[in-house]
Amino acid sequence: MVSLLPPSTQKWLQVTDLYKEVYHHLARYVPKIYCLGPNLNPQSEDLLAQMLLQAPLEWYLCGEDPSTGLAKLEQNNQPSQLCGHVFKVGEPTYSCRECAADPTCVLCMQCFLGSVHKEHRYRMTTSGGGGFCDCGDTEAWKKGPYCQKHEPNISDSCQEDPLAHLSTDMIARCYNVFSVVLKYAVDMLTWDKEDELPLGLEPPDRSDTYYCMLFNDEVHTYEQVIYTLQKAVNCTQKEAVSFATTVDRDGRKSVRFGDFAFCELAKSVIVRNTSRQSKPLRVQVMHSSVVAHQCFALKALHWLGHVIGYSDALRRILCQVGLERGPEGENSSLVDTLMLCDSKMWKGARNVYHQLFMSSLLMDLKYKKLFAIQFAKNYERLQSDYVKDDHDREFSVTDLSVQMFTVPSLARMLITEENLMTTIIRTFVDHLRHRDLQGRFQFERYTAQQAFKFRRVQSLIGDLKYVLISRPTEWSDQLREKFLEGLDTFLELLKCMQGMDPVVRQVGQHIEMEPEWEAAFTLQMKLTHIISMIQEWCATDERVLIEAYKKCLTALTHCHSGFADGEQPITLSMCGHSVDTIRYCVSQEKVSIHLPVSRLLAGLHVLLSKMEVAYRFPEQLPLSELSPPMLIEHPLRCLVLCAQVHAGMWRRNGFSLVNQIYYYHNVKCRVEMFDKDLIMLQAGASMMDPNHFLMIVLSRFELYHIFSSADCRKRYNRENANKDVVQQNNTLTEEMLHLIMMVVGERFEAGIGQVEGCDEIKREILHQLCIRPMAHSELVKALPENENKETGMERVIDCVASFKKPGVTGRGLYELRPECAKQFNLYFHHYSRADQSKAEEAQRKLKRQNGEDTALPPPVLPPFCPLFASLVNILQCDVLLGMLGAVLQWAVEPSAGHWSESMLQRVLHLIGMALLEEHQQLENSSEDNDVYFNFTLKMSRPGEAPSNTASVLALLENLQNAPHLEVHEDMIRWLLKCTDTSASPLFQTACDKDKAERKRKAEMARLRREKVMAQMSEMQRHFINENKELFQQSLEELDASTSTSLEHSPASPDAALACVGPRRSRPREKRQVVTCILCQEEQEIRADGKAMVLAAFVQRSTVMSKNRTRPPHDPKRYDPLFMHPDLSFGTHTGSCGHIMHSHCWQRYFEAVQAKEQRRQQRLRVHTSYDVGNGEFLCPLCECLSNTVIPLLPRTMGSSSCDQPGLGQWLKISGQQIKAMHSAHRKLQPVSEYWNAEHCVKGTHMFLSPDKCPMNPYSSTIKEMLTTFGTATYKVGLKVHPNEQDPRIPIMCWSSCAYTIQSIERLLVDEKKPLFGSLPCRQDDCLSSLARFGSACWTAACQPTVQGHFIRLFDSRPPGGGLSVSTLIPVSLSLSLTHSQVSVVLSYGSVHSQDSSGLSVDAVQLHLFHLITVAHMVQILLTSEEVTMEQESGEVDVILLYFVLFFNKLVCMCDDSSLPEVGSGWHLWRCVKTGILPYLRGAALFFHHLHGVPAPPELHGQYNWEVLCGYLSLPSNLLQLFHESLSHTHTHHFPRESNSLIDLPDDYSALINQASSFTCPKSGGDKSRAPTLCLVCGSMLCSQSYCCQTELEGEDVGACTAHTFACGAGVGIFLRVRESQVLFLAGKTKGCFYAPPYLDDYGETDQGLRRGNPLHLCHERYRKIQKLWRQHSITEEIGHAQEANQTLVGIDWQHL
């Protein structure tokens, strides 16, 4: 057996010092395999390394042939219950929102599909790479931890040691190999010398070869690196891009190979070039042997990861080797060494060893725990390294914290044993060293370096969140001790934040520099969830809660002791009460919005009530020591600051303060800011005399002097105060009344009011929906998220709202259930001012619709918890009644604006709250003596002598009928009704009177309305009588245009309508008058009149292409006359239908050009249109256009009926063509056919070349004919304009044919009738195109157009087959719709010199018949055998005739590929279905060319006989045949419509497809922005340097390049990672469009931020497809760019 081993392995088995032997072997072979030159060759290197280096190790490990040894290991291995699949970048991950322990617990796609969670509410996201699947981890899931694949067997439930299966010999060998290989890898990767190697690895022969190695950093941009490399190593742009891409991906790349001096030179250039602005790029000149060993070290780590995959036992041995302590003691294991050197390594090395850690240490539960302990021990040092490093966190070893800290058992163990919580917080605080004199954080003068450090240090808060994310169910004493120790440290952090960033009101002049405020709020936002979680931890244990409360109170007292210096005590007295407080004005002193210690205490205070600790252990709590005025002082200042900012008193403090106030109320911060301040006020007020509380509030609002004066009710009679001050005081009074409402009324938090946890969220949703119906995502944004990113909305939404599904646009909306509206509170504490006014308007409108009065009374509130019960007394205290009375008195005697309506509205609301409270107390009380709340009594008591002020009730009654308070009438009536609960007869009669009064008013209003309507109709009649003749004329016109049957009545009443041929119907000639949209003048369309034009957009198109692989034609040589039936490229013309004079348009376009030139000099940005390419926006609808089509009158054919038959006409035509041929030959010899541009001389009996045709068109129309022709030619062939090019008419005919074909297909796809369903803009466009086509020969050289006619009619097309008849060129490689349009339109040039008396109509019919026959042959020769049921009623003779004809045709052809004929029935069916699109296209063409109205039957379902009749065809098409023809085989008819690719129903299938897509250019690298072409299904690597290609001399991204190959410059893509549709047109135009994937709430999720499962919405996908088929993508982009200017600035060509 031993003799089979490789010699090196045999030797290794016998030596004692394996370490030395293996090193010797590596020293010898590694430099010979790796790094032998400038260009590395990975294939051969890997092969040699496998043979010479890895194979001996594997033989040694197994003791036999590795292929059998490793297979045995795999066979004996118990498969792990942990999935451990490591995620690739962009791979889909799934988290169950019901069962996951926290949001970091995720499943891979395979495990998810096999788990119970796919039936639950789940979240789908894309991975950033790293991280692994948590399937099988019981701590990660509340239920369903295993998928079907990883379900454990019952037998192996007892956890046995995986090493039990291995022999001791095998264990020893594994241990030896792993020790040596891992030691080698660690030595090499942490090696920092550039020119020598570790002991034992020195190469036997040393060469002078070095690499100049460039390392990645996150400071320099791609552009800087590319530019520097081009200068330093003299490489091309492409090479530099490749270098930069590799450096960014792998972390380093050698940019030069050679001797030392050569590399050192490159290094000095790079350092010099990059050190000007920032620190230079890191470059090292390394000896080739060092680089070689480092390459193999990475390979070795890969190999270890691969080998341990065979067996859990090997994994465990590797873990043991890695964590074994070295001789140096503490932190000396190999794993420690790697972790501590992490920031010194390059990106690629880090990635490899992190992957190894994940597949070894983190997959073995025993060693995961040991690794976690080591990680926690080194935590502080690792984080310090990370903060100094500049690589992103995903490339740092600290990123592995999420894998350990989120495991609840590990997190608890680390808190108790390693004091992790304290360590994390202390490390965080240590990094924020910038403090002011009071020890508070100061972010004011942060340098860029400190700001960078602050951003990085925030990741520590993330770690703390992981540790706290799952709350303990049972507490040990040690856990309590360590948690409280951590809380102490946390309070130290909060104390540094208490009062930071204080502000002082600017008076006189505006602040000069906006102070820094964002850092403090960033910190607050990051800590919000931590603070909430600490409260949740406290709520799970009473002892912890009591201790935490005490600690927090001590911290707050400590903070306050530093503040109270120099504040003078004062006494306030009012309404017979007095209180001592301090003199403090928010508008003059420092005030801070940051009070985290107070807010944490407020949260804990609520928990005392919620957990009932306050009632069960009052003796353990320091409640008696609390000083309520101290508790409320700072939160009250904060709320007063907000009120003063609203009142405009802090205008001069700039935006920084406005932003702070905004975030203070914002949903992201309010839970731990605004809400907690309110709770603190409630807590303080519940422990104080309500009168005292209100006096302090008045004092802080700086309103005390107004309400406390004896004659405050008459305050403004004498006083002519400054208007601003009055306005400010009014706003402050409103805000203060609102605050009192909130203190008394906000009881929906469990612990303050007697409510359930879900009541609070219900109320939030209800008040959001009172503003307007909202989408799911809007609601989620408006609700606070907890640490698991959950709002709790789904549990309760159905109780308060009903869901309305979306249509093709828009999104699904939740609407409030009607029965919930009565819970609406106008003064809901989370409403902003704007929200409040919107909600008020919406609710009043709703009440009016329901016929109710418009009062919005306060809702019934739940009772308070005992700890807060005394708050209701605020509503009946003397000070409040005094304030209410004062405001009502001001309202009774309104003086110039010294009170406001909203102030009164708030007072009425407060009175309503008090009355409801009293009503509830009466209902709930059992005995009379229980009731201590008697508001009615107090409000009806007048003031005492000497002032004898009126009572609140009396004032209300006074106000009831005040004319200036009509708005509040309903509310006052409701209050009086509540007051008078006994409903005295007096009140009853008042109500009746009131009803009668209302009725009378309504009746009067009705009579007034009727009178006005009568007057208006009288005036109308009068106007019509005066202008009779005008109306008569317009009515006639209307009549004429609507009744088609009258207007177009043919000669004989029964004759059917026909649109082609001598018998075609001739519609009555009618003046066609149009209005110019620019000058508003009317103009008749006449051949000799001023030209009128239609704005149009010509574009290349591949929408109907059946062959996208065909290479584009060479525009110089391409002959467009014969269109291939695969329509690989076409030219489409569209129009918005708006008409202008040609001279108006020219003036407009010149103005646009001039404006563009001026704009370019000012700022160089793209507009949504490219003037250089002739583009402009339609002046009326701003639709993108690039040319104009002239409007031409209808051509009137001469109606002579004795026309020759087909045979005779063919003879005449043959002679005419011969004549033209000879005439053309007599021209001077020309080198190219294209240049035959001279006049023709010569004679023939049926052709008069001397007869010079009169050009019927005016000069402006001729000019416009040239303009449109040139534009179509330029766009269609992608060439420079050339008015002399003979291909211009061909391109125009081709565009006409292509546009007709695409519209015909569109109508079929949308199941619409052929006529009557097109929008008028398409109708106008087709008419103009067809008539332009028939007239364009007048603007071109006549012989040229005649030449086109001859070639179409007579010669063989390129690559065509032999013609049995020389006159009908039938080739299966022709699109005959194009041929038919071109031959009909080019005939005009021949007919103008025709003296044979042939009518145009007759020739058109003959030409049409000929091409129809040709098309039938095409169809017959390409028909496929299809079995169909025979319809009865078809004429059998036809079928027999068909079979005979077809067999004759087959005999003519010697091609064996012709189909077998099954039956005449089958052939007839084939011909009918195959020729239908062609006939429909022809009908559209002739209808628009001649203006013959379509028969009514064609406005509905298609009718074969009517269609044939309209086209002057026999309904049995075989009657057209006279002789049979040859063929060459290609296309099948009818052609099927193209559609966009099929997309999967579930979006995650697409994400999965994209995650396995690698960039085609950078060797297996994952694409960052995989993008799917929806036209052909190609996946592209978008938005990256690697896949840029050159197009027309410019670097463009993969998508732009693809649009030119696949869509003639227009592309529709799906950006898979962003769930976003991308439209591109050309290089500079693009826009984003809503994707066709929706979640269950009918919303798209662009950017995949919400993570709800997405499914394909077929209607929306059809809408995108319709845009594509209609050629409207470019138009859509134009509109989007005009509407959103930010789109214009994007470099679309780089996508």
Side-chain angles (χ1 to χ4, degrees), residues 395-456:
F395 304 113
S396 164
V397 73
T398 55
D399 199 36
L400 294 180
S401 61
V402 64
Q403 306 297 343
M404 294 164 283
F405 294 174
T406 51
V407 181
S409 58
L410 275 184
R412 307 252 200 296
M413 183 267 295
L414 293 173
I415 289 177
T416 49
E417 291 180 19
E418 297 299 326
N419 206 355
L420 181 62
M421 185 176 165
T422 312
T423 308
I424 294 175
I425 301 165
R426 195 167 287 142
T427 310
F428 180 71
V429 177
D430 282 350
H431 280 292
L432 299 180
R433 298 247 169 77
H434 225 60
R435 313 280 168 85
D436 65 6
L437 297 171
Q438 281 81 25
R440 296 175 298 210
F441 291 137
Q442 196 172 19
F443 300 107
E444 186 55 60
R445 283 176 291 281
Y446 251 27
T447 60
Q449 184 62 37
Q450 283 166 320
F452 173 74
K453 188 174 168 185
F454 177 58
R455 280 201 300 278
R456 291 180 82 78

Side-chain angles (χ1 to χ4, degrees), residues 543-605:
R543 280 164 57 192
V544 171
L545 177 58
I546 293 167
E547 284 305 312
Y549 189 80
K550 287 180 187 168
K551 284 177 186 296
C552 195
L553 188 58
T554 313
L556 186 61
T557 317
H558 176 264
C559 290
H560 275 268
S561 61
F563 287 133
D565 312 333
E567 292 170 340
Q568 304 163 346
I570 52 166
T571 305
L572 310 171
S573 50
M574 183 174 163
C575 305
H577 301 271
S578 60
V579 63
D580 293 330
T581 178
I582 50 171
R583 184 188 300 283
Y584 177 87
C585 282
V586 174
S587 61
Q588 293 166 17
E589 318 274 339
K590 278 186 175 180
V591 57
S592 168
I593 209 161
H594 295 284
L595 307 167
V597 183
S598 310
R599 291 165 187 155
L600 179 57
L601 185 70
L604 295 173
H605 192 81

